[in-house]
Amino acid sequence: VSTIHQLLIDNRIVFVSGIGGTGKTELINFYVSLHYNEYDTIIIAKYESSLTDIIISEKYFNVSDISRNSIESNHEFAIRKLEKIKSFTNEKTLIVIDNFETTEDDLLEEIIHGPYRIIFTSRTNFEYLGLPMITLSELKHNKQVELFCKHYKLPFGKEQLHLLDELLDIIQGHTLTIELIARLMTAKHMKLNAMLEQIKKAGISPTLTGKVHHKTSKAQT
């Protein structure tokens, strides 16, 4: 967190990268909570389609004295609105672009040059830009075991550690997956051998489709 803050002071911008589940978003949320009083304005936006959509969205940037011309494209309006944003922001403004998973956004070059401070989180490596970047590495094996044990509430003996080692190897250190699997195993009272067998049969995919009904909130997620 201290490194992020110093990079923002020195350069106004920092990219926080790492594989999924290394805690990038959690780290930035902690930074924001720790330095909240040092900013007049904090905007946290999740990247979904484009930086253009983020800038033109009133949800994130509600600029009262600017409106889109009928002949303008979204990108043209975003550039004009961004220039307006730059005119009244400074180092007391923090913008966070979370989950920025592209290297080809049309507005990237324009948005990184502003008076505000800006943080990008991404699984992509942006070293080619020559901009400040922090890379979060996956947890060491012993820390992965500790994380699993923290969320797996059922007893298991040392003789089962080799099964856990095999499970963690398949997951490849993805911390969120470790936590979710441990919680699922606890909820279903599953043993390590049963989960390992199921994962070997079903496989692990970086992308998931479909919806799950959440029994508590009664919502689809």
Side-chain angles (χ1 to χ4, degrees):
V1 171
S2 60
T3 302
I4 291 173
H5 191 58
Q6 191 60 51
L7 287 172
L8 288 174
I9 291 174
D10 295 340
N11 304 279
R12 296 181 295 98
I13 182 172
V14 63
F15 286 85
V16 178
S17 69
I19 65 171
T22 51
K24 298 181 294 294
T25 300
E26 290 78 5
L27 176 63
I28 297 310
N29 287 340
F30 181 63
Y31 170 81
V32 169
S33 67
L34 198 63
H35 294 276
Y36 183 84
N37 292 328
E38 298 177 40
Y39 294 99
D40 295 331
T41 304
I42 299 175
I43 298 168
I44 301 177
K46 183 175 181 180
Y47 187 92
E48 295 179 344
S49 55
S50 68
L51 291 173
T52 290
D53 286 347
I54 290 176
I55 293 299
I56 67 176
S57 171
E58 292 188 1
K59 173 184 177 182
Y60 297 122
F61 295 95
N62 187 3
V63 182
S64 59
D65 57 345
I66 189 171
S67 59
R68 179 178 172 179
N69 298 328
S70 59
I71 60 173
E72 280 183 312
S73 67
N74 284 349
H75 181 66
E76 289 170 337
F77 177 50
I79 291 177
R80 188 163 63 88
K81 186 176 179 182
L82 182 58
E83 289 305 311
K84 184 69 174 180
I85 292 169
K86 290 178 180 181
S87 71
F88 60 75
T89 53
N90 54 36
E91 71 279 357
K92 293 291 187 178
T93 302
L94 175 65
I95 300 173
V96 177
I97 307 294
D98 193 21
N99 200 37
F100 185 68
E101 304 303 344
T102 181
T103 59
E104 299 180 350
D105 192 289
D106 293 338
L107 207 63
L108 179 59
E109 187 65 26
E110 286 81 4
I111 200 170
I112 62 178
H113 295 106
Y116 39 73
R117 293 175 180 168
I118 185 166
I119 302 172
F120 290 86
T121 71
S122 178
R123 287 174 291 183
T124 304
N125 189 314
F126 286 92
E127 285 183 330
Y128 74 96
L129 291 176
L131 295 170
M133 189 177 74
I134 295 174
T135 301
L136 302 184
S137 58
E138 64 184 59
L139 289 179
K140 293 182 178 180
H141 181 76
N142 64 314
K143 293 298 182 180
Q144 294 179 31
V145 173
E146 288 181 15
L147 180 63
F148 178 86
C149 294
K150 176 182 177 181
H151 297 287
Y152 184 58
K153 304 303 182 182
L154 304 179
F156 68 98
K158 291 183 178 181
E159 70 279 1
Q160 292 183 298
L161 283 176
H162 72 283
L163 297 175
L164 179 56
D165 290 343
E166 189 173 355
L167 179 66
L168 295 175
D169 185 59
I170 294 174
I171 296 170
Q172 297 182 344
H174 193 293
T175 53
L176 180 58
T177 305
I178 294 172
E179 178 180 341
L180 291 175
I181 285 178
R183 288 179 179 273
L184 177 64
M185 289 174 63
T186 301
K188 292 194 171 186
H189 295 275
M190 292 183 68
K191 301 290 187 181
L192 273 165
N193 58 342
M195 175 56 77
L196 186 59
E197 181 181 348
Q198 185 170 323
I199 286 180
K200 284 182 177 180
K201 182 178 179 180
I204 293 288
S205 172
T207 57
L208 300 175
T209 58
K211 294 183 178 181
V212 176
H213 187 75
H214 193 285
K215 63 182 181 180
T216 304
S217 66
K218 308 298 182 185
Q220 295 292 325
T221 180

